[in-house]
Amino acid sequence: MDEREFLARADLRPDRLQIWLQTGSLVPSFREGVGHYCEIDLARAQLIRDLQHDLGINDEGIAVVLDLVDQVSGLRHVLQAVLRALRAQPDAIRRQIADECAADGRT
């Protein structure tokens, strides 16, 4: 969606969007030099608004929260890749890995 549609759907003022863009809180994709927003950007905008209005978190705190959210998201992608690789292994290898993980959890 273009910026105009994003602003309407996010119920956001252009000046607030510019602040979020400048701070890197929102990073739209660009095609032909024009910013395009997706549903994830809408969800992120809602999260930022909730953090500010409902929880009273300041801009510096929001940056920390967003960084942590991004880290968790990255870790989820890595874990999904590990699980796909694990599922591709023979049963004996999967059992061995599961046993080693269980042993690590007991130490």
Side-chain angles (χ1 to χ4, degrees), residues 6 13 22 29 46 50 57-58 63-64 69-70 73 98 102:
F6 179 78
R13 294 186 333 261
Q22 290 169 355
S29 61
Q46 184 61 53
D50 289 349
I57 297 176
N58 64 20
V64 171
V69 167
D70 292 342
S73 178

Side-chain angles (χ1 to χ4, degrees), residues 19 21-22 33 46-48 54 58 72-73 85 94 99 107:
I19 291 169
L21 292 173
Q22 290 169 355
Q46 184 61 53
L47 173 62
I48 295 168
D54 296 346
N58 64 20
V72 169
S73 178
R94 290 198 317 256
D99 291 345
T107 58

Side-chain angles (χ1 to χ4, degrees), residues 83-105:
L83 286 173
R84 281 192 300 275
L86 183 59
R87 288 185 190 114
Q89 300 304 310
D91 286 342
I93 299 295
R94 290 198 317 256
R95 277 193 298 277
Q96 181 182 358
I97 291 170
D99 291 345
E100 289 181 26
C101 288
D104 283 347

Side-chain angles (χ1 to χ4, degrees), residues 49-57:
R49 289 171 53 135
D50 289 349
L51 292 170
Q52 287 177 332
H53 297 117
D54 296 346
L55 300 175
I57 297 176

Side-chain angles (χ1 to χ4, degrees), residues 10-64:
D11 191 24
L12 192 59
R13 294 186 333 261
D15 60 326
R16 177 56 50 187
L17 175 61
Q18 288 308 311
I19 291 169
W20 292 354
L21 292 173
Q22 290 169 355
T23 62
S25 296
L26 280 177
V27 182
S29 61
F30 282 88
R31 283 181 260 145
E32 300 174 6
V34 177
H36 291 274
Y37 300 85
C38 63
E39 296 299 319
I40 292 173
D41 297 318
L42 280 173
R44 193 171 179 97
Q46 184 61 53
L47 173 62
I48 295 168
R49 289 171 53 135
D50 289 349
L51 292 170
Q52 287 177 332
H53 297 117
D54 296 346
L55 300 175
I57 297 176
N58 64 20
D59 290 339
E60 293 80 17
I62 288 171
V64 171

